[in-house]
């Protein structure tokens, strides 16, 4: 118990404060990338070469691309914040695991987890807002958020 209190004081709470910037800030960061600088240069070049329709198409496609990227980035940040602020309680092993596989557990809020905690995963599954290593058993993990794959 004392070691856990020291770890809690040293590492702090298991929470992340993820701020979602405003739309104008995200738009500003999006359009200042080299891609959009190149697109602006191409629009100016094609305009002065009297390719008005081509310059207009590049402009419309660039604006649509920036808008869609802005929406996707904002939605991803909102979802990430929702996951990071998820509150749940977990069973933490507080006594050594006996030879027969039994142990004493205590219900702890996930925000109070510290490195080294051994948590018990319920048989029906659960979502945990922490990194974990599977010590025994099997599990299915949805890693699509980490890898960028579609589900």
């Amino acid at each position: 118990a004392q070691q856990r209190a020291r770890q809690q004081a040293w590492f702090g709470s298991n929470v992340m404060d993820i701020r979602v910037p405003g739309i104008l800030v995200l738009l500003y960061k999006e359009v200042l990338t080299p891609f959009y600088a190149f697109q602006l240069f191409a629009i100016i070049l094609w305009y002065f070469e009297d390719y008005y329709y081509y310059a207009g198409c590049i402009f419309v496609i660039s604006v649509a691309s920036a808008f869609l990227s802005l929406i996707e980035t904002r939605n991803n940040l909102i979802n990430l914040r929702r996951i990071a602020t998820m509150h749940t309680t977990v069973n933490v092993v507080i006594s050594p695991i006996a030879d027969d596989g039994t142990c004493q557990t205590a219900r702890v809020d996930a925000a109070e987890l510290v490195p080294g905690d051994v948590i018990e995963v319920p048989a029906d599954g659960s979502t945990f807002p922490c990194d974990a290593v599977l010590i025994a058993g099997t599990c299915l993990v949805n890693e699509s958020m980490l890898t960028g794959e579609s589900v």
Side-chain angles (χ1 to χ4, degrees):
Q2 291 176 351
Q3 180 183 0
R4 182 170 175 71
R6 281 194 307 268
Q7 284 182 314
Q8 184 72 31
W10 178 261
F11 293 108
S13 295
N14 180 32
V15 294
M16 285 193 289
D17 181 29
I18 298 176
R19 293 186 175 92
V20 178
I23 293 174
L24 292 178
V25 172
L26 289 174
L27 182 63
Y28 179 75
K29 288 181 178 181
E30 179 68 28
V31 297
L32 288 182
T33 60
F35 173 74
Y36 289 106
F38 173 77
Q39 293 297 81
L40 179 62
F41 176 74
I43 290 169
I44 292 169
L45 177 70
W46 292 119
Y47 178 79
F48 284 122
E49 291 294 324
D50 296 330
Y51 286 97
Y52 304 117
Y53 291 117
Y54 191 67
C57 287
I58 293 175
F59 176 76
V60 169
I61 291 170
S62 295
V63 168
S65 173
F67 181 72
L68 291 173
S69 179
L70 174 77
I71 291 172
E72 183 179 356
T73 301
R74 184 159 170 81
N75 287 339
N76 287 342
L77 287 171
I78 289 169
N79 288 334
L80 187 60
R81 185 175 75 186
R82 181 182 51 80
I83 292 170
T85 58
M86 178 179 66
H87 291 285
T88 185
T89 56
V90 295
N91 288 330
V92 176
V93 175
I94 57 172
S95 69
I97 300 173
D99 292 334
D100 63 354
T102 60
C103 60
Q104 289 183 332
T105 61
R107 299 288 290 173
V108 174
D109 189 276
E112 297 174 11
L113 290 174
V114 293
D117 278 346
V118 177
I119 58 175
E120 180 182 61
V121 179
D124 61 346
S126 185
T127 301
F128 299 109
C130 63
D131 292 337
V133 175
L134 187 64
I135 296 175
T138 59
C139 71
L140 294 174
V141 179
N142 179 1
E143 295 179 348
S144 63
M145 183 179 236
L146 298 174
T147 61
E149 297 176 69
S150 60
V151 179

